[in-house]
Amino acid sequence: MTESANPEKIRCDACPVMCYIAQGKSGACDRYANHAGELVRLDPLTIIEHGDAKLVPFLKDSDPQDWDGNIVNANRPFVTAVGAGTTYPDYKPAPFIVAQDIAGVDMVTVVTEGIFSYCGVKVKIDTDRHIGHERDVVYADGEPIGHIMTSEYGSKMLSLGGVEHLTGGSKKEGRVTCDALLRLCNRDPVTMTIGEDDHRTEVVVQAGAAPIINGTPEKLMRVGCGSATIGMFAKQWLGHADDVVVVDDHITGVLSEHQAGKELDVPATGIKIKGRRSTPGRYFQVAEPGTGWGGTDIDDPLTILGPFNPKIAWPGLRLLMVSTTGEQFGYYVLDDDLHPQPAAMPAALAASTELIAENCEPSICSVLFMGGAGGSLRAGVTENPVRLTRSVKDALTHVSCGGAQAYVWPGGGITVMVDVLDMPTQSFGYVPTPALVAPIEFTLRISDYETLGGHMGDVQSLAEVASAPMRRVAPGALGHDPMDSTHYRWSRDREQ
C-alpha cells in the first residue's frame, strides 16, 4: 500500500494527492498517518450495535485491547464504513467485507469510505423570513459555494457544493466549498452570505439547530400560509373580532372574504388589501419579501391596508392582524373616520395568537448529503461494477451511509441522499483534491454477492474484523437496520 520516499517518509496511496508522510505525522487529510513506517487510518472503525447489546462509550485515546469482545455476542452489530478507509486507486477490494448470519441468512456487508468528487448538500431552513431570491448565489468566506432553490412550504432550500464549485472554479473556491460541506456534514455551524450589495443576508446554518438570520436566531416555522391559518383558527375568532388578516409573504388571508368566513357567516367588513387578489380572501404580493411580518418587509401591518369601504365598514369595527407564526400581532378598532386605531387586545384573541405560535414547530436546519457512487467506488465491491448497480435497483443490495438509511435516486448510477443527523458523528472527511470522503455500505446475501462477481476471497467474519480498533455506537434516532430482511426483494418474494 505504501512506497518509501526516504527512510523517514512513506507515501500514502489512499487518495490521488499521494502525500509523503513523515514518521509520527499525518497526511494533508488528517485521516492517515505514519506510525513506525506503517500507514494507518487514524479514526477507528465504527460499529452500530442494534438491540440490547452492551454499549461502551467511545474514547479517542482508549486502547482497543481494552475492548472485551462483546461484539461477537451482540445483537446485530453492523459494521459501518466510518473509519474503514478507501479502495483508491480502486483496483483493490473494499477495506472490509464482513459476513454474518442474520436470522439464518448468510449476509455480507461491503464497506468503504468513498471519495466523492460529485457531491454536495441540500439544506432546508425552516423560516418564513426572506433570505434571498431563487437562484441567488450563496457565499462562504467570500467564495460562491451554491445557490438558493425554490422555497418549500415554510422552508427555504439551498443547494450547496457540486462538482462545478469543487473543481470547476478557482482553487480557493474549491477549497472553501469543500470545507463548508465538510463542516455542515459533521454538524458544525457554517456562516454564509446570500445575495450581493444591498441585497445581502447573513445566515448561520448548522444541522439540527435553529438558523441564525442576520444575527437573530429563528424560533418558529410557520403554522401554515395565511389562507391555511384562516381556515385552521376561524372559529376561535368568531365573536371576538369582526375581521382578521393573517399577513404572509406567500398568501395573505382575510377572514371576512375567505371561504371559511363565508361558511361561518362572517359579514363583509369593507376591508381593502393591497396586493394581487387570487381567490376570495387570498392575496398575493401584499408587500416585498423581507424579515418582517410573515416573511414580508413590513413592520407595520397597516401598510398593506387600503381605505375601508364607507358603504360597508362601520366605526368600532374590530380588526385582528397576525403573522403566520403568531409572533407578531396587533388589534385595532376603527374610529369615526374608519381609520384603524391600536387598542388593547381582548384576552380571547391573545389566546388565539398564542395558540398559533404553539402549533408552530421549532425552526431548524436540515442537512442532507448527496453524492454519486461512481464506477471506481463500485469496483471495490465487485469486479463487474454495473452488476452492483443492477443489484441495488433490483432490491437485492441495500445501500446505507454510516448505517443510516440512504435514499437511492431512480435512474442510472447509485446516487444517494442521507440526513447527516442519522449518521454517527464525525462520519465525513475530505481529501485536498478537493472532495468529500463519506461512508457507504452495501449489504446483501452472500450468495447474491458471489453472483455479481464480489471479492469472495476477501470476505471476513465479524470476529476477524473485531481485531481492528473500533468505536461502538447506538443506532440513530430512526433505528435503521441495514440488515433487516424487509429491505430485500427476496424477503418479499418469500412471503408471497
Side-chain angles (χ1 to χ4, degrees):
M1 187 174 183
T2 63
E3 126 187 12
S4 296
N6 58 49
E8 297 181 347
K9 293 186 177 180
I10 60 175
R11 191 172 194 181
C12 176
D13 61 356
C15 86
V17 177
M18 302 187 75
C19 298
Y20 283 104
I21 307 176
Q23 161 63 24
K25 302 292 185 181
S26 60
C29 64
D30 293 325
R31 297 167 52 242
Y32 287 87
N34 178 349
H35 282 186
E38 181 181 357
L39 186 70
V40 297
R41 178 74 172 89
L42 290 175
D43 298 318
L45 184 65
T46 296
I47 289 182
I48 295 175
E49 292 191 338
H50 292 268
D52 55 359
K54 177 184 177 184
L55 298 179
V56 179
F58 171 64
L59 298 176
K60 183 177 181 181
D61 299 325
S62 63
D63 185 349
Q65 299 304 318
D66 293 340
W67 175 61
D68 62 3
N70 184 53
I71 189 170
V72 177
N73 297 318
N75 185 12
R76 284 198 175 186
F78 180 76
V79 180
T80 76
V82 180
T86 68
T87 63
Y88 194 82
D90 303 319
Y91 64 84
K92 298 172 290 189
F96 293 97
I97 304 175
V98 184
Q100 285 191 77
D101 181 314
I102 304 297
V105 179
D106 290 329
M107 304 288 290
V108 64
T109 300
V110 185
V111 308
T112 187
E113 288 181 307
I115 301 174
F116 289 87
S117 298
Y118 287 82
C119 75
V121 298
K122 308 304 178 193
V123 177
K124 174 174 171 284
I125 302 173
D126 299 332
T127 181
D128 265 353
R129 300 183 201 281
H130 179 69
I131 61 172
H133 296 293
E134 190 174 322
R135 300 186 300 278
D136 273 359
V137 175
V138 179
Y139 297 88
D141 296 331
E143 296 293 326
I145 65 169
H147 64 275
I148 293 185
M149 299 192 295
T150 303
S151 296
E152 298 297 343
Y153 201 95
S155 306
K156 312 299 183 188
M157 307 295 291
L158 308 182
S159 177
L160 306 179
V163 70
E164 291 193 13
H165 289 289
L166 285 169
T167 63
S170 67
K171 185 175 182 179
K172 184 181 179 185
E173 178 180 340
R175 179 180 58 77
V176 170
T177 299
C178 186
D179 180 67
L181 296 180
L182 178 64
R183 285 186 286 152
L184 286 170
C185 288
N186 282 334
R187 312 181 187 183
D188 293 326
V190 174
T191 300
M192 310 170 192
T193 56
I194 301 173
E196 299 170 349
D197 301 327
D198 60 348
H199 183 71
R200 177 177 296 186
T201 305
E202 181 185 276
V203 182
V204 179
V205 172
Q206 181 176 15
I212 301 174
I213 302 172
N214 288 334
T216 303
E218 184 64 287
K219 296 178 180 176
L220 299 176
M221 179 180 182
R222 71 178 184 179
V223 69
C225 69
S227 174
T229 306
I230 290 285
M232 282 186 278
F233 298 96
K235 274 190 173 180
Q236 306 197 28
W237 295 320
L238 290 180
H240 304 292
D242 298 305
D243 212 343
V244 178
V245 177
V246 180
V247 182
D248 178 25
D249 178 52
H250 179 208
I251 304 174
T252 289
V254 180
L255 176 64
S256 62
E257 299 179 3
H258 195 275
Q259 184 176 350
K262 295 299 182 186
E263 294 186 4
L264 292 172
D265 296 325
V266 176
T269 61
I271 195 169
K272 179 177 176 57
I273 302 292
K274 298 175 182 176
R276 182 161 66 87
R277 186 172 182 264
S278 167
T279 54
R282 303 168 76 250
Y283 290 85
F284 299 154
Q285 302 164 8
V286 299
E288 294 297 320
T291 56
W293 279 54
T296 70
D297 65 343
I298 63 171
D299 295 320
D300 179 2
L302 296 181
T303 59
I304 71 169
L305 299 184
F308 279 76
N309 186 341
K311 296 180 180 177
I312 303 175
W314 62 94
L317 184 152
R318 302 163 298 171
L319 173 65
L320 171 67
M321 300 190 77
V322 62
S323 69
T324 48
T325 59
E327 295 172 293
Q328 296 102 352
F329 49 82
Y331 179 70
Y332 309 89
V333 176
L334 296 194
D335 61 18
D336 291 340
D337 295 323
L338 302 182
H339 293 156
Q341 300 297 334
M345 183 178 294
L349 293 182
S352 76
T353 63
E354 292 173 0
L355 189 61
I356 292 174
E358 181 182 338
N359 278 273
C360 293
E361 297 177 63
S363 174
I364 64 168
C365 298
S366 303
V367 177
L368 274 68
F369 167 77
M370 184 171 172
S376 54
L377 186 153
R378 288 175 285 171
V381 181
T382 167
E383 294 178 348
N384 198 339
V386 73
R387 290 186 181 177
L388 175 63
T389 307
R390 293 169 183 162
S391 181
V392 171
K393 304 299 182 185
D394 291 342
L396 294 174
T397 296
H398 181 73
V399 184
S400 57
C401 293
Q405 184 168 15
Y407 174 75
V408 180
W409 281 73
I414 302 175
T415 302
V416 298
M417 191 163 64
V418 60
D419 186 346
V420 302
L421 290 180
D422 293 336
M423 303 171 68
T425 56
Q426 299 300 309
S427 286
F428 292 83
Y430 80 103
V431 294
T433 54
L436 277 194
V437 176
I440 188 166
E441 305 97 22
F442 302 94
T443 302
L444 64 166
R445 288 187 304 193
I446 200 165
S447 57
D448 292 327
Y449 188 53
E450 185 172 17
T451 299
L452 61 81
H455 302 289
M456 297 299 294
D458 293 279
V459 175
Q460 299 174 280
S461 68
L462 188 62
E464 291 175 297
V465 175
S467 62
M470 63 180 63
R471 70 165 173 168
R472 295 184 288 168
V473 300
L478 297 179
H480 181 67
D481 182 358
M483 295 180 291
D484 191 309
S485 62
T486 58
H487 302 312
Y488 302 92
R489 192 189 71 194
W490 50 262
S491 175
R492 297 192 287 270
D493 293 342
R494 189 170 58 187
E495 293 174 356
Q496 292 175 352

